[in-house]
């Protein structure tokens, strides 16, 4: 084995994140590391990359024990990582980012010809035709992902950890990435793939390790010996049944809670018309770059609407910011970027959920911790937020629990219209099912929901109607009959401009 992690233990206040976990990697393989949010995957990766020190167990490279006191030690040992969130410096060039941690020098100065040559070597390994002098800020999401991999290869990584590598990629971009992963495997690298997209895992991985509640329940098993359902059973500890959502019927004569009439924006949207009624879920589907999230932000005053009308409960409105959207119109927005836009990661759960209701909780201008905690506990219980206490920092939660906190703050504010943007990206199957049940429940309680998702099964499962966007415009709208085969074909035809 090129890498072995044996009996790893890691404890945080009130939480045992890893309890004797193991991971064994062979050279020349793609290895899937699977588990629910909170199963211990991120903690294991952080131990292997020197971010955390284990409380027990050991890590071996090539049979020899290594002590990883920091990320530099992990790099020296031959372990590279590409995180879901980019770690590139936008203002620096491609070459500068690739060799940032080992800049070649000559007479005390950066040797730029050698820097560019090394960057070119790493880019060539990935068949990536990029100008090494190009600023990273000008790259696409997919190109930035590949530059991250080139950066890991530049320090001669024998083990490469990929954390949700296709979360922000289109299908074609993901296919290209996995073609490169196959090439790395053929060159003798051990590639660890962390992903919730099981269809991709089964397409590219050779072996699998499954974590559940900090324990290893499948240890470097051949993936060919499992079905997807069997892997899900291992992850959740019980047979997983597809969610059966209760039927909802919304009277088509019910006045719209939110309506857009021929809206155009400074971002380039043109003549967008759509509506959503109380108790209804309108799905907004499109490929990456279609302009769905940008449209939502324009509705909230984060971008400029240049023409057209926005109506809330039949009255034209002009919303200047998110605060006004909430206070005057009861509109909430669960952003897709929970880490940078949805949460205060360095603040406790109480503050993250309570922030939208401070005005109503304040007495003589002050918000007591008791009042804030009472509201927080109500929604933490309803959404099943797993935490050691309400005072736990949001940044210490798993991805699924962070998303629940991001949603809870808007529910606490008693929103009547809720825009939910990519609610289950990077979330495991059981948490995803719970989110689907919750979203349907909220609609049943009378909320008007605008659901933005790139997950086609999710849209077909949840939406009452589906508006299809491409190139900053709505290409058509479909009444959802929840027949996945028929609806997916109709949606794809609209995306590609075929209305037949």
């Amino acid at each position: 084995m090129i890498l072995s992690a044996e009996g790893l233990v890691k404890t945080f206040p009130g939480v045992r994140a890893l309890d004797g976990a193991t991971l064994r990697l062979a050279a020349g393989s793609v290895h899937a590391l699977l588990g629910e949010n909170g199963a211990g995957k991120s903690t294991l990766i952080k131990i292997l990359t020197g971010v955390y020190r284990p409380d027990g167990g050991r890590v071996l490279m090539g049979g020899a024990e290594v002590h990883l006191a920091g990320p530099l030690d992990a790099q020296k040992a031959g372990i590279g990582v590409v995180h879901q969130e980019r770690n590139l410096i936008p203002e620096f060039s491609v070459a500068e980012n690739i060799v940032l941690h080992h800049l070649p020098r000559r007479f005390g100065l950066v040797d730029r010809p050698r820097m560019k040559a090394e960057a070119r070597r790493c880019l060539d390994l990935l068949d990536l035709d990029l100008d090494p002098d190009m600023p990273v800020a000008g790259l696409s999401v997919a190109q930035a992902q590949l530059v991250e991999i080139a950066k890991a290869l530049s320090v001669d990584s024998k083990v490469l950890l990929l954390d949700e590598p296709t979360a922000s990629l289109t299908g074609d971009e993901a296919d290209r990435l996995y073609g490169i992963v196959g090439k790395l495997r053929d060159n003798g690298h051990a590639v660890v793939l962390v992903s919730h997209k099981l269809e991709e895992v089964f397409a590219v991985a050779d072996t699998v390790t499954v974590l559940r509640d900090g324990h290893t329940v499948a240890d470097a098993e051949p993936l060919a010996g499992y079905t997807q359902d069997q892997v899900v059973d291992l992850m959740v500890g019980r047979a997983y049944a597809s969610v059966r959502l209760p039927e909802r019927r919304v009277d088509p004569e019910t006045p719209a809670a939110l309506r857009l009439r021929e809206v155009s924006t400074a971002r380039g949207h043109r003549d967008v018309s759509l509506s959503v009624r109380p108790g209804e879920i309108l799905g907004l589907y499109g490929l990456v770059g279609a302009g769905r999230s940008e449209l939502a932000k324009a509705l909230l005053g984060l971008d400029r609407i240049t023409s057209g009308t926005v109506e809330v409960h039949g009255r034209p409105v002009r919303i200047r910011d998110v605060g006004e959207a909430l206070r005057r119109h009861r509109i909430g927005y669960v952003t897709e970027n929970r880490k940078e836009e949805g949460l205060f990661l360095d603040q406790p759960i109480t503050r993250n959920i309570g922030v939208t209701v401070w005005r109503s909780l304040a007495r003589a201008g002050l918000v007591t911790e008791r009042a804030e905690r009472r509201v927080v506990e109500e929604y933490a219980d309803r959404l099943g937020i797993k935490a050691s206490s309400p005072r736990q920092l949001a940044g210490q939660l798993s991805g699924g629990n962070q998303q629940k906190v991001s949603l809870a703050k808007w529910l606490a504010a008693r929103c009547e219209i809720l825009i939910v943007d990519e609610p289950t990206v990077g979330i495991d199957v059981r948490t995803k099912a719970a989110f689907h049940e919750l979203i349907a429940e909220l609609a049943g309680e009378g909320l008007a929901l605008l659901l933005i998702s790139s997950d086609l099964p999710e849209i077909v499962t949840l939406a009452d109607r589906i508006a299809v966007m491409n190139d900053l415009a709505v290409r058509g709208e479909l009444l959802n009959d929840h027949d996945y085969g028929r609806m997916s074909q109709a949606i794809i035809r609209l995306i590609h401009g075929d209305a037949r």
Side-chain angles (χ1 to χ4, degrees):
M1 292 290 165
I2 190 171
L3 180 148
S4 297
E6 300 177 350
L8 293 183
V9 175
K10 184 64 180 177
T11 303
F12 300 100
V15 178
R16 198 172 182 87
L18 292 177
D19 192 2
T22 62
L23 180 68
R24 295 182 295 131
L25 305 178
S29 69
V30 178
H31 188 96
L33 176 60
L34 304 179
E36 294 185 273
N37 289 105
K41 303 187 304 297
S42 295
T43 302
L44 177 54
I45 287 175
K46 287 178 179 177
I47 288 175
L48 295 180
T49 53
V51 176
Y52 291 160
R53 300 285 296 274
D55 300 322
R58 60 180 187 161
V59 178
L60 300 93
M61 288 290 293
E65 186 172 355
V66 293
H67 298 278
L68 308 174
L72 189 58
D73 285 346
Q75 288 180 12
K76 290 178 179 177
I79 302 171
V81 62
V82 178
H83 294 287
Q84 184 176 351
E85 293 82 18
R86 302 285 80 75
N87 284 318
L88 302 176
I89 301 175
E91 295 79 11
F92 283 15
S93 70
V94 168
E96 288 167 334
N97 272 280
I98 289 175
V99 301
L100 183 62
H101 296 297
H102 56 101
L103 288 169
R105 295 186 179 276
R106 180 182 172 90
F107 305 125
L109 301 175
V110 174
D111 188 335
R112 292 196 168 271
R114 280 178 57 202
M115 178 180 73
K116 289 175 63 174
E118 171 62 11
R120 183 72 270 161
R121 181 186 71 83
C122 297
L123 293 171
D124 287 345
L125 288 173
L126 304 177
D127 295 326
L128 190 56
D129 185 19
L130 282 180
D131 180 357
D133 291 325
M134 180 180 183
V136 161
L139 300 180
S140 69
V141 172
Q143 288 172 328
Q145 183 81 280
L146 295 174
V147 169
E148 289 267 22
I149 295 175
K151 180 179 176 181
L153 295 178
S154 74
V155 293
D156 196 26
S157 298
K158 301 294 190 298
V159 175
L160 186 62
L161 310 174
L162 302 181
D163 188 3
E164 296 289 350
T166 65
S168 302
L169 304 186
T170 66
D172 289 343
E173 290 169 340
D175 288 344
R176 182 183 180 193
L177 173 63
Y178 284 133
I180 289 169
V181 166
K183 183 177 179 180
L184 293 173
R185 171 181 54 196
D186 295 342
N187 288 338
H189 295 269
V191 181
V192 178
L193 173 62
V194 180
S195 177
H196 293 302
K197 297 181 179 180
L198 292 184
E199 65 280 3
E200 293 183 355
V201 167
F202 273 79
V204 300
D206 307 304
T207 50
V208 62
T209 291
V210 180
L211 296 181
R212 184 171 75 236
D213 298 328
H215 300 274
T216 299
V217 294
D219 184 9
E221 302 283 351
L223 190 57
Y226 291 95
T227 66
Q228 289 193 31
D229 286 343
Q230 288 171 333
V231 169
V232 171
D233 289 348
L234 286 172
M235 290 166 60
V236 303
R238 58 173 173 78
Y240 172 73
S242 297
V243 179
R244 296 182 180 275
L245 300 176
E247 287 191 15
R248 289 175 293 101
R249 296 191 180 277
V250 180
D251 186 345
E253 300 302 317
T254 302
L258 174 68
R259 183 184 296 276
L260 279 63
R261 298 184 187 270
E262 299 181 340
V263 165
S264 299
T265 73
R267 187 61 66 95
H269 298 89
R270 53 200 180 278
D271 299 328
V272 174
S273 295
L274 53 82
S275 65
V276 57
R277 305 176 183 89
E280 183 180 44
I281 301 173
L282 175 68
L284 195 56
Y285 183 80
L287 302 179
V288 174
R292 296 159 302 154
S293 299
E294 293 80 5
L295 177 65
K297 290 178 178 180
L299 293 178
L300 298 165
L302 300 175
D303 210 337
R304 188 165 57 91
I305 292 177
T306 56
S307 65
T309 305
V310 177
E311 298 177 2
V312 176
H313 297 298
R315 298 178 57 185
V317 300
R318 184 177 295 275
I319 299 172
R320 286 181 284 270
D321 55 49
V322 175
E324 182 180 290
L326 176 62
R327 290 192 304 272
R328 298 189 61 181
H329 308 296
R330 317 311 301 169
I331 301 175
Y333 175 51
V334 182
T335 173
E336 66 172 328
N337 189 348
R338 58 180 176 262
K339 290 184 181 293
E340 294 183 16
E341 299 176 353
L343 298 170
F344 304 114
L345 296 177
D346 60 348
Q347 296 296 321
I349 296 169
T350 47
R351 185 151 299 172
N352 274 278
I353 296 178
V355 65
T356 58
V357 291
W358 280 345
R359 284 173 177 246
S360 62
L361 296 179
R363 296 293 180 268
L366 298 174
V367 179
T368 67
E369 185 172 343
R370 173 186 283 185
E372 190 178 54
R373 187 164 182 151
R374 189 167 56 245
V375 172
V376 168
E377 287 177 346
E378 174 187 350
Y379 288 96
D381 181 64
R382 178 178 179 183
L383 272 64
I385 298 171
K386 294 181 181 179
S388 57
S389 82
R391 299 296 301 169
Q392 185 174 354
L393 299 183
Q396 295 175 341
L397 299 175
S398 68
N401 284 304
Q402 287 181 350
Q403 189 72 320
K404 290 177 182 179
V405 171
S406 186
L407 175 60
K409 71 179 181 182
W410 299 110
L411 300 184
R414 302 288 197 271
C415 291
E416 297 175 358
I417 300 166
L418 191 60
I419 302 170
V420 187
D421 195 350
E422 301 287 4
T424 61
V425 166
I427 289 178
D428 61 78
V429 288
R430 182 160 57 179
T431 306
K432 185 174 185 175
F435 261 92
H436 288 178
E437 290 175 331
L438 177 60
I439 289 170
E441 180 183 323
L442 293 174
E445 293 172 359
L447 264 73
L449 285 121
L450 178 60
L451 172 66
I452 301 171
S453 179
S454 302
D455 185 334
L456 191 52
E458 180 168 78
I459 284 282
V460 175
T461 296
L462 289 172
D464 300 296
R465 291 179 295 118
I466 303 170
V468 180
M469 286 190 69
N470 189 21
D471 193 24
L472 303 174
V474 172
R475 300 302 180 184
E477 186 177 294
L478 301 166
L479 184 64
N480 187 10
D481 65 5
H482 303 286
D483 182 309
Y484 180 74
R486 183 162 52 244
M487 294 306 302
S488 60
Q489 290 177 17
I491 288 169
I492 290 169
R493 285 199 298 268
L494 281 175
I495 286 175
H496 294 292
D498 183 357
R500 293 176 295 173

